[in-house]
């Protein structure tokens, strides 16, 4: 025996204010509603006559919804401001494709609120930024077990987030990781309860997986799917590579690490680190002398 599908109840006209074309389509014939319906019909006719459809791609609309969720807005608040029914909002997010121009305008006009602190929002956001922040902490030498302890979660939770196959995560989780990353940024694991061996092994595993370290990121880049950090020297020009190495050395020198410790951590020659540190401290560029091969070539040219 099969059960008939439950029909969705129509939205009553009273749901919408007078002056809304949707109220007119539900039977209200007052002057404001009639004028709104006439204006909408004229606009659609104009778009068709000028070769423009009444629908637009949903990409920007979906991206804006993600940003609103990431800023802490609930789906109920988004629907209320955009004047959408629950099925309509979820249909846009899940199916993509196109949406009516009027619908897109209402959603895109919702301002993104300022993030004021941790949230328990249960909606979902892309997991990319969460993964990248945890991977970066690994690359800096923070083992997953230590991250679990500091987050007060079950063992293996951060490793699970890093390996997660899905594309989304609860906003509350993403927000917790975002604030957590901020608290650990700039701290040296060996000085905060992580043994030198564990830190070294964690950095080595992260390097083998090509996870970028903190110096390669700006905060807004973590959540940007179009940004990929340059992980090899081949991806950078000479000046870009030099600037990046200076930034890494300056960052570690600020924690009073010795030149030898910085060189070991970054995989650079101690003399190179010493020269860059001197440049940073004195503000004077070091004098670069040509190597033996260069001198021989100059002599041959003469």
């Amino acid at each position: 025996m099969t059960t008939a599908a439950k029909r969705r109840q129509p939205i009553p006209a009273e749901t919408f204010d007078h002056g809304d074309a949707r109220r007119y389509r539900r039977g209200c014939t007052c002057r404001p509603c009639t004028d709104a319906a006439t204006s909408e019909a004229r606009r659609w006719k104009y778009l068709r006559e000028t070769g423009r459809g009444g629908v637009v791609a949903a990409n920007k609309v979906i991206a804006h919804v993600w940003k609103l969720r990431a800023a802490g807005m609930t789906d109920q608040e988004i629907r209320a401001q955009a004047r959408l029914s629950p099925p309509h909002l979820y249909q846009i997010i899940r199916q993509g494709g196109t949406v009516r121009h009027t619908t897109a305008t209402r959603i895109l006009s919702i301002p993104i609120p300022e993030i004021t602190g941790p949230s328990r929002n249960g909606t979902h956001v892309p997991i990319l930024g969460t993964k990248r922040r945890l991977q970066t902490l690994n690359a800096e030498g923070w083992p997953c077990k230590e991250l679990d302890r500091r987050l007060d979660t079950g063992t293996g939770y951060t490793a699970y987030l890093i390996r997660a196959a899905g594309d989304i995560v609860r906003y509350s989780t993403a927000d917790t990781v975002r604030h957590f990353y901020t608290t650990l940024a700039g701290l040296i694991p060996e000085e905060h309860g992580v043994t030198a061996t564990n830190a070294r092994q964690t950095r080595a595993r992260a390097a083998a997986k090509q996870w970028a370290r903190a110096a390669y990121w700006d905060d807004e880049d973590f959540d940007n799917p179009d940004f990929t950090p340059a992980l090899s020297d081949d991806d950078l020009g000479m000046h870009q590579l030099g600037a990046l190495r200076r930034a890494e050395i300056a960052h570690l020198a600020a924690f009073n690490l010795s030149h030898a410790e910085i060189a070991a951590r970054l995989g650079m020659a101690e003399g190179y680190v010493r020269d860059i540190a001197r440049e940073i401290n004195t503000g004077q560029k070091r004098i670069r002398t040509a190597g033996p091969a260069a001198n021989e070539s100059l002599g041959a040219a003469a």
Side-chain angles (χ1 to χ4, degrees):
M1 179 178 178
T2 59
T3 303
K6 184 179 179 180
R7 293 187 60 186
R8 193 177 73 188
Q9 296 298 318
I11 301 175
E14 291 73 18
T15 303
F16 307 100
D17 297 329
H18 286 288
D20 193 316
R22 290 171 296 179
R23 187 178 179 110
Y24 173 84
R25 290 195 291 270
R26 287 164 174 79
C28 181
T29 56
C30 71
R31 186 55 180 263
C33 291
T34 303
D35 289 345
T38 302
S39 177
E40 185 181 83
R42 288 174 177 170
R43 187 174 189 284
W44 279 86
K45 181 181 179 182
Y46 169 76
L47 290 173
R48 289 193 299 270
E49 290 176 347
T50 54
R52 291 176 288 174
V55 295
V56 296
N59 297 347
K60 289 185 178 180
V61 176
I62 295 172
H64 192 68
V65 172
W66 285 125
K67 291 178 181 178
L68 294 173
R69 285 175 163 182
M73 288 189 70
T74 64
D75 286 359
Q76 184 177 6
E77 292 170 337
I78 296 173
R79 293 197 306 266
Q81 292 197 35
R83 303 194 303 279
L84 298 174
S85 65
H88 194 181
L89 177 62
Y90 299 137
Q91 179 183 25
I92 293 172
I93 295 173
R94 293 167 184 167
Q95 296 183 5
T98 59
V99 296
R100 287 172 62 104
H101 185 278
T102 50
T103 301
T105 300
R106 293 199 304 274
I107 295 176
L108 293 173
S109 65
I110 302 176
I112 299 174
E114 181 180 355
I115 299 176
T116 56
S119 169
R120 300 311 301 172
N121 191 327
T123 58
H124 291 81
V125 296
I127 197 173
L128 179 64
T130 300
K131 282 188 174 183
R132 284 175 165 179
R133 287 179 175 89
L134 294 175
Q135 289 170 353
T136 302
L137 290 175
N138 273 188
E140 289 297 317
W142 294 98
C144 286
K145 184 177 293 187
E146 177 65 14
L147 299 180
D148 291 337
R149 186 186 70 80
R150 289 173 174 266
L151 283 169
D152 194 22
T153 62
T155 302
Y157 183 67
T158 54
Y160 161 76
L161 289 177
I162 291 174
R163 296 193 306 265
D167 297 326
I168 58 176
V169 67
R170 282 190 177 274
Y171 171 75
S172 56
T173 301
D175 190 55
T176 298
V177 171
R178 183 186 300 109
H179 284 84
F180 180 63
Y181 177 85
T182 302
T183 62
L184 291 186
L187 299 183
I188 304 205
E190 292 90 332
E191 297 179 358
H192 294 82
V194 179
T195 66
T197 300
N198 281 343
R200 184 174 61 254
Q201 291 175 346
T202 302
R203 292 189 190 102
R205 285 192 293 268
K209 295 176 182 177
Q210 295 190 322
W211 292 346
R213 299 188 62 169
Y216 289 81
W217 298 97
D218 288 328
D219 189 61
E220 62 271 15
D221 293 329
F222 285 111
D223 298 289
N224 181 4
D226 297 322
F227 176 81
T228 301
L231 298 178
S232 69
D233 294 354
D234 295 337
D235 296 329
L236 297 173
M238 180 180 66
H239 297 295
Q240 291 175 305
L241 180 59
L244 179 59
R245 286 174 173 171
R246 284 179 66 92
E248 289 181 320
I249 293 171
H251 173 72
L252 294 176
F255 295 96
N256 297 319
L257 295 181
S258 68
H259 297 153
E261 290 173 317
I262 296 175
R265 181 167 296 189
L266 298 179
M268 300 175 181
E270 184 178 346
Y272 176 79
V273 172
R274 186 182 302 107
D275 289 343
I276 294 297
R278 186 182 299 115
E279 282 187 13
I280 295 172
N281 293 331
T282 64
Q284 297 179 353
K285 295 288 185 181
R286 69 189 189 279
I287 300 175
R288 296 173 175 82
T289 57
N295 290 334
E296 289 176 8
S297 63
L298 288 173

